[in-house]
Amino acid sequence: MKKLFLIVSVVILGVLSLTGCSKGDFDDLIVYTITASLDEATRTVSAEMSVDYYNDTQSELTEICFHLYGNAYREGGKSPISQTDISSAYPDGLSYGSMTVCDVTADGAKAEFNVDENDVLTVKIPALMPTRRTIIKMKFELVLAEIRHRLGYYSGKYNLGNWYPVVCAYRDGAWVKHPYYSNGDPFDSVVANYNIKFTYPSSLTAASTGGEGQNGTLDVSVKGVRDFAIVIGDFNKKSVIEGDTTITWYSEGSDDYTKVAKDALSTYNKMFGEYPYPTLAVVKTAFLNGGMEYPGLVYVSDALNDEMITEVVAHEIAHQWWYGVVGNDQVNHAWMDEGLTEYSTTLFYEKNPSYGVEKEARIADSLTTYILYCELYKDSGKSLTVMDKCVGDYPTNLEYTYMTYVKGQIMFDSIRSLIGDDAFFNGLKTYYKENMYKVATKADMIGAFEKHTDYRLTSYVECWVDGSALMFAVK
Ligand SMILES: [Zn+2]
């Protein structure tokens, strides 16, 4: 996600309030097959889903867990909207949604299931050994809240991010059952294959992770993606081709940001490694703040000015590499996601000087705001500078933003200064190539840089992320 923030507002207002497949091998993955339809009148998606689950854990499983993110929008739910975002998320007043499941089966037999207070669905299954498969089927119904958020309806646009029951990650011998926190992008999903058939009003346009719908039906199959998102609306569109990828800009207006998207894709293709998917949808839609990334599809808020749209497009497209193809634990190590993506956005400007934004100015801005943040809150305790923290443990979205985007960007620039441009950029290429379609760890990232430098970086990086060193000199 791209958060917009101004340190000025802080001062004035005082707001503080694995495992995985190798490249091209998509056989041993979960396969989602979903047939769904959207009813405009009730803003309801009715669906049948079959999940062909591959047990790539080291454990014998007797249950499989799913996030029902859509249920977090219910009345009384653990809302993904922070108090400070309520007015921008619900401009027309509070609205609620829900997600319910029924008719759950495991390998053809009726299965026991329950949904806990964190909107995690647990389905009991016959014992499943590692490397074996089982098929879970269920029906689900999703009612969309009227909200400018990842999942919801607002002003003619349907945002369908995290719209189906998503299999939880399984790590260290247990299912990872984080609730839908309001801070950050609290998702922890594995790459999977998708077969989607989704019907919607034929007068509208549907953009998705797997390409575009035709005449009211989105009928696509896509392999090796970390999520599957759809946005539906009365959009105009403009397409350009970059390399092997068709980029399409969707907007209700006549604006056109295909050049930015093309420049971003081209820059990152050269700098990190090739984007592996045939399509990329950039959709200007109803979103409360900045933008949001999904594989092959990004949201850009319809509330942004021209300058911010350019930055958000560059930022969200960088997420195709960091989050999308190379996954990470966005809940506990969000700096690996947002810090590297924010720095990649800075690299976009550095490599494309015609946009008139200097790399040095962006780093200087980050340093200035970070120093001010430390000054303002230095008496609040050391934990205020900890980057490695569960997003749900940050007391405010502001602290999360400073520890992931701002301090993260400064840290990556510091690593670059320390090891030099050749080692840094070769390290990023190695990080991408060696971790495609996986969930990368901090050690994977450090190891990629260390392959190109004699510096041992573990302690250096740890000092940044554990908050034990407030600031390092940056060139
Ligand atoms: Zn982001």
Side-chain angles (χ1 to χ4, degrees), residues 60-79:
E60 177 183 304
L61 301 176
T62 56
E63 60 187 32
I64 296 178
C65 295
F66 298 79
H67 293 285
L68 304 184
Y69 291 117
N71 211 35
Y73 296 85
R74 73 188 189 281
E75 187 167 12
K78 291 189 175 175
S79 172

Side-chain angles (χ1 to χ4, degrees), residues 394-411:
Y394 285 108
T396 64
N397 220 319
L398 184 82
E399 184 181 326
Y400 157 78
T401 300
Y402 273 80
M403 286 307 100
T404 56
Y405 295 70
V406 178
K407 192 177 176 187
Q409 153 143 272
I410 298 167
M411 185 193 77

